[in-house]
Amino acid sequence: MSTGNGRKAKEITLLLICMSFVLVFVAFRLLPDVFEPWNSRIVDRLFVLRSSVPSLHPAYNTVIAHVDVNNTTIQELNDFYLNRAHFARVVRNLSTMRTAAQAYDFIFAAKSNEKDDSSLIEATREAANVYYGMAFELPEEEPVRGQAPSAAVLQYLESTKWAVKMEGKGGDFYTGSHPLPTFPSLARVSRGLGFLSIKADRDGVLRRVPLLVKYGDGFYPSLPFRVVCDYLKVPPEAITIIPGTAVILKDVPGKEGPKREIRIPIDRFGNMIISFLGPWERMTHYNFSDIYRASDYRDELVMWGEELEGKIVLVSDVSTGATDIGPVPTDANFPLSALHANVIHTILSEDFFRESSILETLLIEAALMFLVIFLSRNRSPTAFSLGMAGLIGTFAVVAALLFFYAHVIVQVLRPIFSCGLAVSLVTGYRYFNEEKEKETLRRSFEAYFPPGVVKKIIANPELISSRGQKKELTILFSDIKSFTAHTANLSPDQIRRLLNEYFDAMVEIVFRHGGTVDKYIGDGLMVFFGDPEPQDDHALRCVRAAIEMQQKTRKLREEWEKGEGFPISIRIGINTGEVVVGNMGSRKRLSYTVLGSPVNLAQRLESKAPDGAILISERTHELVKDYVASSHPGQMALKGIEKPVNVYEVFVPSVPA
């Protein structure tokens, strides 16, 4: 490839790589509903892998425990519908067991009956560590047609709002609507309410939760966040929000040291990514019926107290028919009460994940783009493709390591798509360019090499040596006798037509015998045999080609004498010897040629040959004498050669008309 073409190819390659990254970036921005779920599912597989490989498991904080209402509960209590008296007794028992907190994944939205409600209210007041649920409609959810909140509900919400500190702009925190709390008389005696509302990602999978929701001029915590803040003794005024960056819990008491702060990474909506522990069974579970009946026996209540003292207990319904299930990264049908437990666990263990920022993602993609450009320079398509496969694989491994050990979730799909598109475009362009170059080379070579040799050269360019090498070859020179004198009265178009007809006929014969055209010298022709394709019988091929050339010229003579009156006659000289063959010339113009004294001898033989005759050297004669008839005129003195040389004239048989 010439320097200019090489520079242009590099520029186009650079443009294609940059364009690949830009196009993929634009596609991801314009079609987030298509691409974001794909990337999220890749991250989901990392969570699954983390929960499957023991060495990657996050340490489980046993302070968190589940108390489940399941099918066994219903069978043992012999009551499909648990009433509030059942819950009241469990509240009292868990309080007696000295649990740190009781979080009920239930919304007791309305009163039931006076007796049961009173029992639950009294038990909740005495326990002083009970939390209940509430709900908000979050943006883009289907609106629920119902009554506006009552004055008592609004009063309760106003009195319990959190006045957290906000640094910077307010971001895009979810604004809740249509609040549905636990009924006020129960809510007021509880430790607090937390919302249970969760928004799924674009593909319906639950991967993150809002910690706080705006309603009116205040904030309201989710159930697990409310429980955690109280457990860590962090009041609302010690909470600072940096929108799109973090929720900061300040003045958190240390176990053995000064107070500290916990920074919880959040997105612009106030969502925290849940660090999933794994399957439902990974967490500690107790049956609701066992807790309910523990107070039947004092010893059993003491035993349960030793088991649950100081724990955060999450009570929920996971029986058959419960609708509170949904898909999460590690499970397609996950009890959503476990989301709350995972949120609590994530914050207490500070096992936070964060997504790479826009700037970090762009820097990663820029680094990959420069590496792709580096890999594309001066490398074969195979080496480039293998290098790109290695680059993509390395990036995937690094992304996984960042996930497992730095808890950073990078955008995986977009860089891989960008690299993949770059590989496709660059490879396609190179293929197109190489085919174009091959076609140009083919057309160029067709004037000098036989068609069969051209195919081999295109498939294996090493056949055309870039360095000179010594070989024994047979060289042929031919020339039209008195061409200038015979064409003096012809027009340029006539001369051009006659020469083209002549050279077409001669070159066809040369190619048919496997020769290579070295150059055209006016009306003369220089060819050689034995390279680039090795030929053991190069001398015989050359002589037979010369005989056929003379025979063809005689036929042309008959035709041309009838037309333009041109009595064409050629003379041919042939010599065999060791020459230097290869690409020679300047950088801008190379020629595949042969050099050496045997070339000069062949040219001198041509100049001394009689009209219509073929003179060959002694070396050529040695190689063909058993196959070709010839005569020995004797020795001949040749210009530029000190001693006379033995020459032989090849017999040219007549061709029947």
Side-chain angles (χ1 to χ4, degrees), residues 473-513:
L473 305 177
T474 300
I475 302 95
L476 177 152
F477 278 88
S478 72
D479 181 62
I480 299 176
K481 177 68 175 178
S482 304
F483 178 78
T484 303
H486 288 309
T487 58
N489 297 322
L490 299 179
S491 67
D493 282 345
Q494 286 177 307
I495 296 172
R496 180 187 59 78
R497 180 179 60 79
L498 292 175
L499 271 181
N500 286 347
E501 184 178 357
Y502 165 72
F503 280 129
D504 283 346
M506 297 302 104
V507 170
E508 182 181 350
I509 293 169
V510 170
F511 284 171
R512 189 160 55 245
H513 289 273

mmCIF file of all heavy atoms in Angstrom, residues 473-513:
data_model
loop_
_atom_site.group_PDB
_atom_site.id
_atom_site.type_symbol
_atom_site.label_atom_id
_atom_site.label_comp_id
_atom_site.label_asym_id
_atom_site.label_seq_id
_atom_site.Cartn_x
_atom_site.Cartn_y
_atom_site.Cartn_z
ATOM 1 N N LEU A 473 17.350 -18.404 -14.185
ATOM 2 C CA LEU A 473 16.144 -18.191 -14.970
ATOM 3 C C LEU A 473 16.506 -18.165 -16.446
ATOM 4 O O LEU A 473 17.683 -18.076 -16.816
ATOM 5 C CB LEU A 473 15.473 -16.867 -14.582
ATOM 6 C CG LEU A 473 15.121 -16.649 -13.109
ATOM 7 C CD1 LEU A 473 14.528 -15.256 -12.920
ATOM 8 C CD2 LEU A 473 14.135 -17.717 -12.630
ATOM 9 N N THR A 474 15.489 -18.216 -17.245
ATOM 10 C CA THR A 474 15.689 -18.085 -18.696
ATOM 11 C C THR A 474 15.028 -16.798 -19.155
ATOM 12 O O THR A 474 13.851 -16.568 -18.876
ATOM 13 C CB THR A 474 15.096 -19.287 -19.442
ATOM 14 O OG1 THR A 474 15.753 -20.481 -18.983
ATOM 15 C CG2 THR A 474 15.302 -19.148 -20.936
ATOM 16 N N ILE A 475 15.815 -15.959 -19.853
ATOM 17 C CA ILE A 475 15.343 -14.635 -20.255
ATOM 18 C C ILE A 475 15.188 -14.594 -21.768
ATOM 19 O O ILE A 475 16.045 -15.111 -22.518
ATOM 20 C CB ILE A 475 16.333 -13.547 -19.799
ATOM 21 C CG1 ILE A 475 16.530 -13.597 -18.278
ATOM 22 C CG2 ILE A 475 15.814 -12.166 -20.195
ATOM 23 C CD1 ILE A 475 17.722 -14.385 -17.834
ATOM 24 N N LEU A 476 14.122 -13.960 -22.199
ATOM 25 C CA LEU A 476 13.826 -13.827 -23.635
ATOM 26 C C LEU A 476 13.639 -12.363 -23.985
ATOM 27 O O LEU A 476 12.904 -11.644 -23.288
ATOM 28 C CB LEU A 476 12.566 -14.615 -23.979
ATOM 29 C CG LEU A 476 12.034 -14.569 -25.414
ATOM 30 C CD1 LEU A 476 11.277 -15.862 -25.749
ATOM 31 C CD2 LEU A 476 11.109 -13.374 -25.686
ATOM 32 N N PHE A 477 14.302 -11.937 -25.072
ATOM 33 C CA PHE A 477 14.079 -10.616 -25.655
ATOM 34 C C PHE A 477 13.553 -10.805 -27.065
ATOM 35 O O PHE A 477 14.034 -11.667 -27.815
ATOM 36 C CB PHE A 477 15.389 -9.807 -25.720
ATOM 37 C CG PHE A 477 15.748 -9.141 -24.425
ATOM 38 C CD1 PHE A 477 16.495 -9.816 -23.468
ATOM 39 C CD2 PHE A 477 15.363 -7.830 -24.175
ATOM 40 C CE1 PHE A 477 16.844 -9.198 -22.282
ATOM 41 C CE2 PHE A 477 15.708 -7.215 -22.983
ATOM 42 C CZ PHE A 477 16.446 -7.895 -22.027
ATOM 43 N N SER A 478 12.557 -10.014 -27.413
ATOM 44 C CA SER A 478 12.062 -10.035 -28.799
ATOM 45 C C SER A 478 11.952 -8.600 -29.294
ATOM 46 O O SER A 478 11.779 -7.667 -28.502
ATOM 47 C CB SER A 478 10.705 -10.725 -28.882
ATOM 48 O OG SER A 478 9.702 -9.912 -28.309
ATOM 49 N N ASP A 479 12.049 -8.440 -30.621
ATOM 50 C CA ASP A 479 12.002 -7.099 -31.199
ATOM 51 C C ASP A 479 11.463 -7.210 -32.619
ATOM 52 O O ASP A 479 11.744 -8.191 -33.334
ATOM 53 C CB ASP A 479 13.418 -6.501 -31.205
ATOM 54 C CG ASP A 479 13.440 -5.090 -31.763
ATOM 55 O OD1 ASP A 479 12.798 -4.221 -31.150
ATOM 56 O OD2 ASP A 479 14.091 -4.891 -32.806
ATOM 57 N N ILE A 480 10.686 -6.209 -33.033
ATOM 58 C CA ILE A 480 10.157 -6.180 -34.397
ATOM 59 C C ILE A 480 11.216 -5.552 -35.300
ATOM 60 O O ILE A 480 11.690 -4.444 -35.049
ATOM 61 C CB ILE A 480 8.848 -5.371 -34.467
ATOM 62 C CG1 ILE A 480 7.785 -6.009 -33.566
ATOM 63 C CG2 ILE A 480 8.347 -5.300 -35.899
ATOM 64 C CD1 ILE A 480 6.494 -5.215 -33.502
ATOM 65 N N LYS A 481 11.570 -6.253 -36.355
ATOM 66 C CA LYS A 481 12.605 -5.808 -37.298
ATOM 67 C C LYS A 481 12.111 -4.585 -38.071
ATOM 68 O O LYS A 481 11.013 -4.586 -38.631
ATOM 69 C CB LYS A 481 12.944 -6.950 -38.263
ATOM 70 C CG LYS A 481 13.956 -6.600 -39.352
ATOM 71 C CD LYS A 481 15.327 -6.349 -38.766
ATOM 72 C CE LYS A 481 16.368 -6.121 -39.882
ATOM 73 N NZ LYS A 481 17.698 -5.820 -39.335
ATOM 74 N N SER A 482 12.909 -3.517 -38.068
ATOM 75 C CA SER A 482 12.634 -2.299 -38.851
ATOM 76 C C SER A 482 11.244 -1.744 -38.582
ATOM 77 O O SER A 482 10.547 -1.296 -39.505
ATOM 78 C CB SER A 482 12.810 -2.579 -40.355
ATOM 79 O OG SER A 482 14.093 -3.086 -40.632
ATOM 80 N N PHE A 483 10.850 -1.751 -37.314
ATOM 81 C CA PHE A 483 9.501 -1.287 -36.989
ATOM 82 C C PHE A 483 9.320 0.192 -37.355
ATOM 83 O O PHE A 483 8.302 0.589 -37.942
ATOM 84 C CB PHE A 483 9.250 -1.491 -35.485
ATOM 85 C CG PHE A 483 7.916 -0.996 -35.037
ATOM 86 C CD1 PHE A 483 6.757 -1.742 -35.266
ATOM 87 C CD2 PHE A 483 7.797 0.235 -34.392
ATOM 88 C CE1 PHE A 483 5.518 -1.275 -34.849
ATOM 89 C CE2 PHE A 483 6.560 0.702 -33.980
ATOM 90 C CZ PHE A 483 5.418 -0.058 -34.200
ATOM 91 N N THR A 484 10.320 1.022 -37.023
ATOM 92 C CA THR A 484 10.198 2.463 -37.275
ATOM 93 C C THR A 484 10.060 2.756 -38.765
ATOM 94 O O THR A 484 9.227 3.575 -39.173
ATOM 95 C CB THR A 484 11.423 3.197 -36.718
ATOM 96 O OG1 THR A 484 11.551 2.908 -35.328
ATOM 97 C CG2 THR A 484 11.287 4.706 -36.914
ATOM 98 N N ALA A 485 10.854 2.079 -39.575
ATOM 99 C CA ALA A 485 10.799 2.330 -41.028
ATOM 100 C C ALA A 485 9.466 1.902 -41.620
ATOM 101 O O ALA A 485 8.872 2.595 -42.456
ATOM 102 C CB ALA A 485 11.952 1.588 -41.719
ATOM 103 N N HIS A 486 8.959 0.746 -41.176
ATOM 104 C CA HIS A 486 7.712 0.221 -41.746
ATOM 105 C C HIS A 486 6.495 1.033 -41.310
ATOM 106 O O HIS A 486 5.456 1.010 -41.983
ATOM 107 C CB HIS A 486 7.527 -1.237 -41.337
ATOM 108 C CG HIS A 486 8.468 -2.166 -42.032
ATOM 109 N ND1 HIS A 486 8.650 -2.191 -43.402
ATOM 110 C CD2 HIS A 486 9.290 -3.143 -41.530
ATOM 111 C CE1 HIS A 486 9.545 -3.120 -43.732
ATOM 112 N NE2 HIS A 486 9.956 -3.718 -42.593
ATOM 113 N N THR A 487 6.576 1.728 -40.190
ATOM 114 C CA THR A 487 5.405 2.447 -39.681
ATOM 115 C C THR A 487 5.467 3.944 -39.965
ATOM 116 O O THR A 487 4.644 4.700 -39.470
ATOM 117 C CB THR A 487 5.277 2.236 -38.158
ATOM 118 O OG1 THR A 487 6.485 2.690 -37.517
ATOM 119 C CG2 THR A 487 5.010 0.780 -37.825
ATOM 120 N N ALA A 488 6.454 4.364 -40.747
ATOM 121 C CA ALA A 488 6.630 5.793 -40.999
ATOM 122 C C ALA A 488 5.417 6.410 -41.661
ATOM 123 O O ALA A 488 5.093 7.584 -41.423
ATOM 124 C CB ALA A 488 7.877 6.017 -41.862
ATOM 125 N N ASN A 489 4.731 5.651 -42.488
ATOM 126 C CA ASN A 489 3.586 6.187 -43.226
ATOM 127 C C ASN A 489 2.239 5.843 -42.581
ATOM 128 O O ASN A 489 1.185 6.075 -43.203
ATOM 129 C CB ASN A 489 3.610 5.667 -44.670
ATOM 130 C CG ASN A 489 4.848 6.144 -45.425
ATOM 131 O OD1 ASN A 489 5.285 7.281 -45.244
ATOM 132 N ND2 ASN A 489 5.420 5.262 -46.244
ATOM 133 N N LEU A 490 2.261 5.265 -41.364
ATOM 134 C CA LEU A 490 1.011 4.900 -40.686
ATOM 135 C C LEU A 490 0.628 5.979 -39.674
ATOM 136 O O LEU A 490 1.480 6.670 -39.114
ATOM 137 C CB LEU A 490 1.166 3.556 -39.967
ATOM 138 C CG LEU A 490 1.489 2.339 -40.858
ATOM 139 C CD1 LEU A 490 1.629 1.096 -39.988
ATOM 140 C CD2 LEU A 490 0.414 2.128 -41.916
ATOM 141 N N SER A 491 -0.667 6.082 -39.417
ATOM 142 C CA SER A 491 -1.156 7.039 -38.426
ATOM 143 C C SER A 491 -0.890 6.497 -37.017
ATOM 144 O O SER A 491 -0.716 5.285 -36.829
ATOM 145 C CB SER A 491 -2.652 7.283 -38.597
ATOM 146 O OG SER A 491 -3.380 6.104 -38.268
ATOM 147 N N PRO A 492 -0.866 7.411 -36.013
ATOM 148 C CA PRO A 492 -0.658 6.940 -34.634
ATOM 149 C C PRO A 492 -1.690 5.891 -34.212
ATOM 150 O O PRO A 492 -1.336 4.944 -33.505
ATOM 151 C CB PRO A 492 -0.791 8.220 -33.805
ATOM 152 C CG PRO A 492 -0.391 9.309 -34.737
ATOM 153 C CD PRO A 492 -0.888 8.886 -36.106
ATOM 154 N N ASP A 493 -2.953 6.065 -34.615
ATOM 155 C CA ASP A 493 -3.973 5.080 -34.245
ATOM 156 C C ASP A 493 -3.694 3.731 -34.868
ATOM 157 O O ASP A 493 -3.915 2.681 -34.241
ATOM 158 C CB ASP A 493 -5.354 5.574 -34.668
ATOM 159 C CG ASP A 493 -5.901 6.627 -33.722
ATOM 160 O OD1 ASP A 493 -5.358 6.759 -32.607
ATOM 161 O OD2 ASP A 493 -6.869 7.319 -34.098
ATOM 162 N N GLN A 494 -3.206 3.731 -36.107
ATOM 163 C CA GLN A 494 -2.870 2.464 -36.768
ATOM 164 C C GLN A 494 -1.699 1.787 -36.050
ATOM 165 O O GLN A 494 -1.705 0.574 -35.829
ATOM 166 C CB GLN A 494 -2.519 2.707 -38.235
ATOM 167 C CG GLN A 494 -3.719 3.022 -39.124
ATOM 168 C CD GLN A 494 -3.303 3.315 -40.551
ATOM 169 O OE1 GLN A 494 -2.439 4.167 -40.805
ATOM 170 N NE2 GLN A 494 -3.917 2.607 -41.490
ATOM 171 N N ILE A 495 -0.692 2.603 -35.704
ATOM 172 C CA ILE A 495 0.475 2.037 -35.003
ATOM 173 C C ILE A 495 0.040 1.449 -33.665
ATOM 174 O O ILE A 495 0.448 0.337 -33.291
ATOM 175 C CB ILE A 495 1.540 3.131 -34.798
ATOM 176 C CG1 ILE A 495 2.070 3.615 -36.152
ATOM 177 C CG2 ILE A 495 2.677 2.603 -33.923
ATOM 178 C CD1 ILE A 495 2.991 4.817 -36.054
ATOM 179 N N ARG A 496 -0.787 2.214 -32.933
ATOM 180 C CA ARG A 496 -1.257 1.732 -31.631
ATOM 181 C C ARG A 496 -2.038 0.435 -31.775
ATOM 182 O O ARG A 496 -1.841 -0.511 -31.005
ATOM 183 C CB ARG A 496 -2.127 2.807 -30.977
ATOM 184 C CG ARG A 496 -2.681 2.413 -29.607
ATOM 185 C CD ARG A 496 -3.661 3.443 -29.110
ATOM 186 N NE ARG A 496 -4.761 3.600 -30.034
ATOM 187 C CZ ARG A 496 -5.794 2.741 -30.122
ATOM 188 N NH1 ARG A 496 -5.847 1.677 -29.349
ATOM 189 N NH2 ARG A 496 -6.756 2.972 -30.998
ATOM 190 N N ARG A 497 -2.928 0.375 -32.781
ATOM 191 C CA ARG A 497 -3.755 -0.819 -32.965
ATOM 192 C C ARG A 497 -2.899 -2.024 -33.312
ATOM 193 O O ARG A 497 -3.093 -3.121 -32.770
ATOM 194 C CB ARG A 497 -4.779 -0.561 -34.059
ATOM 195 C CG ARG A 497 -5.711 -1.761 -34.321
ATOM 196 C CD ARG A 497 -6.733 -1.459 -35.394
ATOM 197 N NE ARG A 497 -6.103 -1.123 -36.655
ATOM 198 C CZ ARG A 497 -5.597 -2.042 -37.508
ATOM 199 N NH1 ARG A 497 -5.645 -3.331 -37.200
ATOM 200 N NH2 ARG A 497 -5.054 -1.661 -38.644
ATOM 201 N N LEU A 498 -1.920 -1.823 -34.219
ATOM 202 C CA LEU A 498 -1.062 -2.939 -34.626
ATOM 203 C C LEU A 498 -0.205 -3.436 -33.456
ATOM 204 O O LEU A 498 -0.062 -4.646 -33.248
ATOM 205 C CB LEU A 498 -0.161 -2.504 -35.783
ATOM 206 C CG LEU A 498 -0.880 -2.235 -37.119
ATOM 207 C CD1 LEU A 498 0.104 -1.683 -38.139
ATOM 208 C CD2 LEU A 498 -1.527 -3.512 -37.647
ATOM 209 N N LEU A 499 0.380 -2.488 -32.699
ATOM 210 C CA LEU A 499 1.206 -2.900 -31.553
ATOM 211 C C LEU A 499 0.373 -3.629 -30.506
ATOM 212 O O LEU A 499 0.815 -4.633 -29.933
ATOM 213 C CB LEU A 499 1.868 -1.682 -30.925
ATOM 214 C CG LEU A 499 3.237 -1.276 -31.478
ATOM 215 C CD1 LEU A 499 3.762 -0.067 -30.748
ATOM 216 C CD2 LEU A 499 4.238 -2.418 -31.390
ATOM 217 N N ASN A 500 -0.833 -3.121 -30.245
ATOM 218 C CA ASN A 500 -1.692 -3.787 -29.259
ATOM 219 C C ASN A 500 -2.045 -5.191 -29.704
ATOM 220 O O ASN A 500 -2.056 -6.129 -28.894
ATOM 221 C CB ASN A 500 -2.971 -2.975 -29.042
ATOM 222 C CG ASN A 500 -2.716 -1.721 -28.219
ATOM 223 O OD1 ASN A 500 -1.666 -1.577 -27.610
ATOM 224 N ND2 ASN A 500 -3.686 -0.809 -28.227
ATOM 225 N N GLU A 501 -2.342 -5.354 -30.997
ATOM 226 C CA GLU A 501 -2.680 -6.692 -31.510
ATOM 227 C C GLU A 501 -1.485 -7.617 -31.399
ATOM 228 O O GLU A 501 -1.607 -8.789 -31.009
ATOM 229 C CB GLU A 501 -3.146 -6.577 -32.965
ATOM 230 C CG GLU A 501 -3.608 -7.919 -33.540
ATOM 231 C CD GLU A 501 -4.110 -7.791 -34.970
ATOM 232 O OE1 GLU A 501 -4.154 -6.663 -35.508
ATOM 233 O OE2 GLU A 501 -4.446 -8.842 -35.564
ATOM 234 N N TYR A 502 -0.314 -7.064 -31.718
ATOM 235 C CA TYR A 502 0.908 -7.867 -31.641
ATOM 236 C C TYR A 502 1.218 -8.283 -30.202
ATOM 237 O O TYR A 502 1.442 -9.460 -29.911
ATOM 238 C CB TYR A 502 2.069 -7.072 -32.241
ATOM 239 C CG TYR A 502 3.430 -7.638 -31.910
ATOM 240 C CD1 TYR A 502 3.889 -8.824 -32.491
ATOM 241 C CD2 TYR A 502 4.270 -7.000 -30.987
ATOM 242 C CE1 TYR A 502 5.138 -9.346 -32.173
ATOM 243 C CE2 TYR A 502 5.515 -7.498 -30.667
ATOM 244 C CZ TYR A 502 5.940 -8.682 -31.256
ATOM 245 O OH TYR A 502 7.173 -9.209 -30.936
ATOM 246 N N PHE A 503 1.236 -7.289 -29.295
ATOM 247 C CA PHE A 503 1.577 -7.601 -27.903
ATOM 248 C C PHE A 503 0.531 -8.520 -27.262
ATOM 249 O O PHE A 503 0.881 -9.389 -26.463
ATOM 250 C CB PHE A 503 1.721 -6.320 -27.088
ATOM 251 C CG PHE A 503 3.047 -5.629 -27.275
ATOM 252 C CD1 PHE A 503 3.111 -4.271 -27.586
ATOM 253 C CD2 PHE A 503 4.245 -6.324 -27.147
ATOM 254 C CE1 PHE A 503 4.324 -3.630 -27.751
ATOM 255 C CE2 PHE A 503 5.465 -5.686 -27.314
ATOM 256 C CZ PHE A 503 5.517 -4.333 -27.623
ATOM 257 N N ASP A 504 -0.750 -8.336 -27.599
ATOM 258 C CA ASP A 504 -1.780 -9.235 -27.056
ATOM 259 C C ASP A 504 -1.492 -10.670 -27.449
ATOM 260 O O ASP A 504 -1.608 -11.592 -26.620
ATOM 261 C CB ASP A 504 -3.165 -8.821 -27.577
ATOM 262 C CG ASP A 504 -3.711 -7.604 -26.852
ATOM 263 O OD1 ASP A 504 -3.155 -7.243 -25.794
ATOM 264 O OD2 ASP A 504 -4.701 -7.016 -27.351
ATOM 265 N N ALA A 505 -1.107 -10.865 -28.697
ATOM 266 C CA ALA A 505 -0.834 -12.222 -29.183
ATOM 267 C C ALA A 505 0.415 -12.795 -28.515
ATOM 268 O O ALA A 505 0.435 -13.956 -28.091
ATOM 269 C CB ALA A 505 -0.671 -12.206 -30.704
ATOM 270 N N MET A 506 1.486 -11.946 -28.382
ATOM 271 C CA MET A 506 2.736 -12.446 -27.813
ATOM 272 C C MET A 506 2.585 -12.765 -26.310
ATOM 273 O O MET A 506 3.064 -13.801 -25.827
ATOM 274 C CB MET A 506 3.852 -11.406 -28.008
ATOM 275 C CG MET A 506 4.207 -11.113 -29.468
ATOM 276 S SD MET A 506 4.741 -12.555 -30.419
ATOM 277 C CE MET A 506 3.279 -12.899 -31.402
ATOM 278 N N VAL A 507 1.927 -11.854 -25.594
ATOM 279 C CA VAL A 507 1.763 -12.047 -24.149
ATOM 280 C C VAL A 507 0.884 -13.250 -23.855
ATOM 281 O O VAL A 507 1.125 -14.005 -22.902
ATOM 282 C CB VAL A 507 1.181 -10.768 -23.504
ATOM 283 C CG1 VAL A 507 0.770 -11.033 -22.052
ATOM 284 C CG2 VAL A 507 2.195 -9.643 -23.553
ATOM 285 N N GLU A 508 -0.122 -13.467 -24.676
ATOM 286 C CA GLU A 508 -0.973 -14.651 -24.483
ATOM 287 C C GLU A 508 -0.159 -15.931 -24.600
ATOM 288 O O GLU A 508 -0.335 -16.872 -23.818
ATOM 289 C CB GLU A 508 -2.092 -14.640 -25.519
ATOM 290 C CG GLU A 508 -3.056 -15.806 -25.362
ATOM 291 C CD GLU A 508 -4.150 -15.811 -26.411
ATOM 292 O OE1 GLU A 508 -4.286 -14.822 -27.155
ATOM 293 O OE2 GLU A 508 -4.861 -16.832 -26.503
ATOM 294 N N ILE A 509 0.775 -15.947 -25.569
ATOM 295 C CA ILE A 509 1.637 -17.127 -25.737
ATOM 296 C C ILE A 509 2.560 -17.280 -24.532
ATOM 297 O O ILE A 509 2.734 -18.383 -23.991
ATOM 298 C CB ILE A 509 2.453 -16.990 -27.043
ATOM 299 C CG1 ILE A 509 1.520 -17.057 -28.250
ATOM 300 C CG2 ILE A 509 3.521 -18.072 -27.125
ATOM 301 C CD1 ILE A 509 2.181 -16.662 -29.557
ATOM 302 N N VAL A 510 3.154 -16.152 -24.101
ATOM 303 C CA VAL A 510 4.065 -16.195 -22.944
ATOM 304 C C VAL A 510 3.335 -16.730 -21.717
ATOM 305 O O VAL A 510 3.842 -17.607 -20.996
ATOM 306 C CB VAL A 510 4.642 -14.791 -22.670
ATOM 307 C CG1 VAL A 510 5.390 -14.777 -21.335
ATOM 308 C CG2 VAL A 510 5.578 -14.377 -23.796
ATOM 309 N N PHE A 511 2.132 -16.215 -21.488
ATOM 310 C CA PHE A 511 1.373 -16.649 -20.310
ATOM 311 C C PHE A 511 0.983 -18.117 -20.420
ATOM 312 O O PHE A 511 0.960 -18.841 -19.415
ATOM 313 C CB PHE A 511 0.120 -15.787 -20.147
ATOM 314 C CG PHE A 511 0.396 -14.405 -19.603
ATOM 315 C CD1 PHE A 511 -0.605 -13.444 -19.563
ATOM 316 C CD2 PHE A 511 1.662 -14.060 -19.132
ATOM 317 C CE1 PHE A 511 -0.360 -12.176 -19.059
ATOM 318 C CE2 PHE A 511 1.921 -12.791 -18.631
ATOM 319 C CZ PHE A 511 0.910 -11.847 -18.593
ATOM 320 N N ARG A 512 0.674 -18.547 -21.614
ATOM 321 C CA ARG A 512 0.264 -19.944 -21.785
ATOM 322 C C ARG A 512 1.397 -20.900 -21.417
ATOM 323 O O ARG A 512 1.166 -22.009 -20.942
ATOM 324 C CB ARG A 512 -0.194 -20.161 -23.226
ATOM 325 C CG ARG A 512 -0.845 -21.512 -23.440
ATOM 326 C CD ARG A 512 -1.722 -21.586 -24.667
ATOM 327 N NE ARG A 512 -1.021 -21.190 -25.889
ATOM 328 C CZ ARG A 512 -1.321 -20.123 -26.618
ATOM 329 N NH1 ARG A 512 -2.308 -19.318 -26.235
ATOM 330 N NH2 ARG A 512 -0.656 -19.834 -27.721
ATOM 331 N N HIS A 513 2.629 -20.433 -21.569
ATOM 332 C CA HIS A 513 3.789 -21.278 -21.232
ATOM 333 C C HIS A 513 4.343 -20.963 -19.836
ATOM 334 O O HIS A 513 5.359 -21.535 -19.445
ATOM 335 C CB HIS A 513 4.887 -21.089 -22.290
ATOM 336 C CG HIS A 513 4.538 -21.711 -23.611
ATOM 337 N ND1 HIS A 513 4.803 -23.024 -23.916
ATOM 338 C CD2 HIS A 513 3.909 -21.191 -24.700
ATOM 339 C CE1 HIS A 513 4.387 -23.298 -25.140
ATOM 340 N NE2 HIS A 513 3.823 -22.194 -25.641
#
